[in-house]
PDB file of all heavy atoms in Angstrom:
ATOM      1  N   GLY C1006     138.172 145.961 162.732  1.00  0.00           N
ATOM      2  CA  GLY C1006     139.142 145.790 161.658  1.00  0.00           C
ATOM      3  C   GLY C1006     140.289 144.864 161.989  1.00  0.00           C
ATOM      4  O   GLY C1006     141.118 144.588 161.139  1.00  0.00           O
ATOM      5  N   THR C1007     140.346 144.358 163.241  1.00  0.00           N
ATOM      6  CA  THR C1007     141.408 143.410 163.585  1.00  0.00           C
ATOM      7  C   THR C1007     140.938 142.005 163.237  1.00  0.00           C
ATOM      8  O   THR C1007     139.747 141.726 163.192  1.00  0.00           O
ATOM      9  CB  THR C1007     141.754 143.484 165.080  1.00  0.00           C
ATOM     10  OG1 THR C1007     140.569 143.185 165.840  1.00  0.00           O
ATOM     11  CG2 THR C1007     142.267 144.860 165.449  1.00  0.00           C
ATOM     12  N   PHE C1008     141.876 141.129 162.996  1.00  0.00           N
ATOM     13  CA  PHE C1008     141.537 139.769 162.611  1.00  0.00           C
ATOM     14  C   PHE C1008     141.219 138.948 163.853  1.00  0.00           C
ATOM     15  O   PHE C1008     141.882 139.059 164.872  1.00  0.00           O
ATOM     16  CB  PHE C1008     142.681 139.135 161.827  1.00  0.00           C
ATOM     17  CG  PHE C1008     142.931 139.820 160.515  1.00  0.00           C
ATOM     18  CD1 PHE C1008     144.064 140.585 160.324  1.00  0.00           C
ATOM     19  CD2 PHE C1008     142.023 139.719 159.489  1.00  0.00           C
ATOM     20  CE1 PHE C1008     144.286 141.221 159.122  1.00  0.00           C
ATOM     21  CE2 PHE C1008     142.231 140.352 158.285  1.00  0.00           C
ATOM     22  CZ  PHE C1008     143.370 141.105 158.104  1.00  0.00           C
ATOM     23  N   SER C1009     140.177 138.136 163.769  1.00  0.00           N
ATOM     24  CA  SER C1009     139.751 137.334 164.915  1.00  0.00           C
ATOM     25  C   SER C1009     140.164 135.883 164.719  1.00  0.00           C
ATOM     26  O   SER C1009     140.357 135.416 163.614  1.00  0.00           O
ATOM     27  CB  SER C1009     138.228 137.427 165.073  1.00  0.00           C
ATOM     28  OG  SER C1009     137.594 136.868 163.946  1.00  0.00           O
ATOM     29  N   GLY C1010     140.261 135.189 165.837  1.00  0.00           N
ATOM     30  CA  GLY C1010     140.582 133.766 165.793  1.00  0.00           C
ATOM     31  C   GLY C1010     142.043 133.511 165.502  1.00  0.00           C
ATOM     32  O   GLY C1010     142.833 134.421 165.282  1.00  0.00           O
ATOM     33  N   ALA C1011     142.384 132.254 165.511  1.00  0.00           N
ATOM     34  CA  ALA C1011     143.769 131.869 165.227  1.00  0.00           C
ATOM     35  C   ALA C1011     144.041 131.998 163.731  1.00  0.00           C
ATOM     36  O   ALA C1011     143.158 131.806 162.906  1.00  0.00           O
ATOM     37  CB  ALA C1011     144.005 130.429 165.673  1.00  0.00           C
ATOM     38  N   LEU C1012     145.267 132.352 163.421  1.00  0.00           N
ATOM     39  CA  LEU C1012     145.645 132.446 162.020  1.00  0.00           C
ATOM     40  C   LEU C1012     145.669 131.057 161.416  1.00  0.00           C
ATOM     41  O   LEU C1012     146.164 130.118 162.022  1.00  0.00           O
ATOM     42  CB  LEU C1012     147.023 133.092 161.880  1.00  0.00           C
ATOM     43  CG  LEU C1012     147.115 134.559 162.262  1.00  0.00           C
ATOM     44  CD1 LEU C1012     148.550 135.035 162.144  1.00  0.00           C
ATOM     45  CD2 LEU C1012     146.220 135.389 161.393  1.00  0.00           C
ATOM     46  N   PRO C1013     145.110 130.910 160.224  1.00  0.00           N
ATOM     47  CA  PRO C1013     145.143 129.594 159.601  1.00  0.00           C
ATOM     48  C   PRO C1013     146.556 129.223 159.193  1.00  0.00           C
ATOM     49  O   PRO C1013     147.360 130.080 158.859  1.00  0.00           O
ATOM     50  CB  PRO C1013     144.236 129.762 158.369  1.00  0.00           C
ATOM     51  CG  PRO C1013     144.273 131.209 158.076  1.00  0.00           C
ATOM     52  CD  PRO C1013     144.457 131.906 159.398  1.00  0.00           C
ATOM     53  N   VAL C1014     146.849 127.950 159.254  1.00  0.00           N
ATOM     54  CA  VAL C1014     148.166 127.479 158.822  1.00  0.00           C
ATOM     55  C   VAL C1014     148.070 127.219 157.322  1.00  0.00           C
ATOM     56  O   VAL C1014     147.508 126.226 156.888  1.00  0.00           O
ATOM     57  CB  VAL C1014     148.569 126.199 159.582  1.00  0.00           C
ATOM     58  CG1 VAL C1014     149.911 125.699 159.093  1.00  0.00           C
ATOM     59  CG2 VAL C1014     148.587 126.464 161.067  1.00  0.00           C
ATOM     60  N   ILE C1015     148.584 128.159 156.569  1.00  0.00           N
ATOM     61  CA  ILE C1015     148.485 128.093 155.119  1.00  0.00           C
ATOM     62  C   ILE C1015     149.857 128.346 154.538  1.00  0.00           C
ATOM     63  O   ILE C1015     150.541 129.268 154.955  1.00  0.00           O
ATOM     64  CB  ILE C1015     147.504 129.155 154.582  1.00  0.00           C
ATOM     65  CG1 ILE C1015     146.101 128.857 155.079  1.00  0.00           C
ATOM     66  CG2 ILE C1015     147.533 129.210 153.063  1.00  0.00           C
ATOM     67  CD1 ILE C1015     145.126 129.948 154.767  1.00  0.00           C
ATOM     68  N   LYS C1016     150.245 127.539 153.625  1.00  0.00           N
ATOM     69  CA  LYS C1016     151.440 127.854 152.851  1.00  0.00           C
ATOM     70  C   LYS C1016     150.953 128.681 151.673  1.00  0.00           C
ATOM     71  O   LYS C1016     150.349 128.161 150.750  1.00  0.00           O
ATOM     72  CB  LYS C1016     152.132 126.586 152.391  1.00  0.00           C
ATOM     73  CG  LYS C1016     152.803 125.848 153.502  1.00  0.00           C
ATOM     74  CD  LYS C1016     153.885 124.985 152.942  1.00  0.00           C
ATOM     75  CE  LYS C1016     154.639 124.379 154.094  1.00  0.00           C
ATOM     76  NZ  LYS C1016     156.023 124.567 154.026  1.00  0.00           N
ATOM     77  N   SER C1017     151.181 129.985 151.760  1.00  0.00           N
ATOM     78  CA  SER C1017     150.662 130.860 150.723  1.00  0.00           C
ATOM     79  C   SER C1017     151.419 130.716 149.418  1.00  0.00           C
ATOM     80  O   SER C1017     150.910 131.036 148.372  1.00  0.00           O
ATOM     81  CB  SER C1017     150.703 132.306 151.188  1.00  0.00           C
ATOM     82  OG  SER C1017     152.028 132.695 151.432  1.00  0.00           O
TER      83      SER C1017
END
Side-chain angles (χ1 to χ4, degrees):
T1007 59
F1008 295 109
S1009 64
L1012 292 177
V1014 178
I1015 295 172
K1016 288 203 174 232
S1017 62

